């Protein structure tokens, strides 16, 4: 059961929480407390799948999982706004940027039309692009899944960007339009974390991330084995957002390898 909104950040805003820019909560809404569990672990990126149902944007993994009241607004947008108000305008006080990955599961155009109207109600939360100028907010919304790229990028003003694919590394879109590129780990690599990582695959991973970084984009993979050996390889070779369902375990790993101030 979700906690009431009032007072729900008493633990998530603790001064002892170290924000972890590399930590991405895959299917974040499946945790006991969507968003809040990730914040308590210091995650700086979370993922929510949305379905447009009777004019509401409901968060779930499949149609069978849909439940009334579990809206994007209630689970993510309102809590983020409250958090930002309490943290001097950021998700983590004096901390890094935060990303909300929104994966569209229903019709691209009609779902985005509702989503765009909703995001516009939170101008103090989200990065905004208007008349070619981008103003970075505390949170950047990144749209994935069943999206219509042209419709999103033509929005005026625009409160969301697009989850890119490897082909975008050969394109000319701006980082404000496509801030990161995502792809399946298994479409690039055979290594599953057992034994040493093959040199050829390590070099391929490093070259891929370097190319994205040259363009000012981040890198994320989905479908990678969720184990420390894979996290280590991703971290060492420049992957910016490490996908996981294991929030405490990834936090412990990152705190062991990331230099602390």
């Amino acid at each position: 059961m979700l906690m009431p909104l009032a007072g729900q950040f008493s633990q998530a805003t603790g001064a002892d929480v170290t924000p972890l820019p590399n930590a991405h909560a895959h299917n974040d809404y499946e945790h006991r407390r969507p968003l809040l569990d990730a914040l308590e672990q210091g995650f700086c990126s979370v993922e929510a799948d949305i379905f447009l149902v009777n004019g509401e944007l409901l968060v779930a993994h499949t149609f069978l999982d849909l439940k009334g009241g579990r809206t994007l607004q209630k689970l993510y947008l309102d809590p983020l706004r409250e958090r930002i108000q309490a943290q001097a305008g950021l998700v983590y006080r004096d901390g890094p940027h935060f990303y909300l990955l929104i994966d569209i599961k229903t019709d691209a155009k009609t779902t985005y039309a509702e989503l765009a109207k909703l995001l516009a109600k939170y101008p103090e939360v989200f990065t905004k692009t208007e008349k070619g100028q981008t103003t970075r907010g505390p949170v950047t919304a990144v749209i994935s899944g069943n999206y219509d790229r042209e419709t999103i990028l033509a929005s005026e003003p625009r409160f969301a960007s697009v989850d890119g694919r490897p082909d975008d590394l050969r394109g000319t879109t701006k980082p404000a339009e496509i801030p990161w590129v995502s792809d399946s780990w298994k479409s690039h690599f055979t290594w599953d974390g057992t034994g040493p990582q093959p040199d050829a695959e390590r070099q391929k991973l490093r070259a891929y991330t370097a190319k994205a970084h040259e363009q000012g984009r981040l890198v994320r993979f989905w479908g990678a084995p969720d184990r420390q050996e894979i996290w280590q390889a991703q971290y060492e070779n420049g992957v910016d957002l490490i996908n996981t369902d294991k929030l405490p375990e990834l936090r412990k790993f990152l705190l062991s390898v990331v230099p602390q101030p």
Side-chain angles (χ1 to χ4, degrees), residues 144-145 147 149 163-169 181-183 208 222:
S144 188
Y147 63 73
R149 178 176 302 198
D163 182 19
R165 295 292 178 265
D167 283 348
D168 290 307
L169 296 179
V181 290
S182 300
D183 204 11
Y208 183 88
W222 73 79

Side-chain angles (χ1 to χ4, degrees), residues 26-27 29 46-52 57-61 72 100-106 111 115 142-147 163 165 220 222:
H26 172 249
N27 292 348
Y29 50 87
V46 298
E47 178 179 347
D49 295 356
I50 62 169
F51 295 78
L52 178 60
L57 295 174
L58 299 180
V59 176
H61 190 55
L72 182 69
L100 175 61
L101 178 63
I102 303 172
D103 192 325
I104 294 176
K105 297 297 186 181
T106 41
T111 306
L115 177 60
V142 181
I143 311 302
S144 188
N146 188 28
Y147 63 73
D163 182 19
R165 295 292 178 265
R220 179 181 73 96
W222 73 79

Side-chain angles (χ1 to χ4, degrees), residues 5 9 13 77-93 121-122 124-125 138:
L5 187 62
F9 295 109
T13 57
L77 306 192
D78 287 342
L80 280 170
R81 179 163 60 187
E82 183 182 347
R83 167 90 175 205
I84 288 163
Q85 290 170 346
Q87 294 287 89
L90 294 170
V91 174
Y92 294 99
R93 190 181 296 270
K121 296 179 180 179
Y122 297 80
E124 73 277 36
V125 173

